[in-house]
Amino acid sequence: MAAAVTIGVSAAIIGSTVASLPPSCVSTIVNNVAYQRCGSTWYQPVYSGTTVQFVVVTAPH
């Protein structure tokens, strides 16, 4: 009897914003800009008042 396996895949859309990141993200600085890299998805922190949010960006060069 074969078991069914469902794998959830979540693609991050460039320009979308999230309020928090998974704990596995790595802080990376490229060209004096701070990013968070979570697997293959890159985020740049932005401030909305005193709240930090993260915008999905293309991988920096």
Side-chain angles (χ1 to χ4, degrees), residues 35-48:
Y35 296 94
Q36 294 290 324
R37 183 175 45 87
C38 308
S40 62
T41 304
W42 289 75
Y43 296 90
Q44 184 172 5
V46 293
Y47 289 88
S48 177

Side-chain angles (χ1 to χ4, degrees), residues 39-61:
S40 62
T41 304
W42 289 75
Y43 296 90
Q44 184 172 5
V46 293
Y47 289 88
S48 177
T50 59
T51 304
V52 177
Q53 296 183 333
F54 300 90
V55 176
V56 179
V57 296
T58 57
H61 298 19

Side-chain angles (χ1 to χ4, degrees), residues 9-31:
V9 176
S10 166
I13 299 171
I14 302 297
S16 61
T17 302
V18 297
S20 62
L21 299 174
S24 61
C25 295
V26 176
S27 180
T28 305
I29 296 177
V30 178
N31 297 326

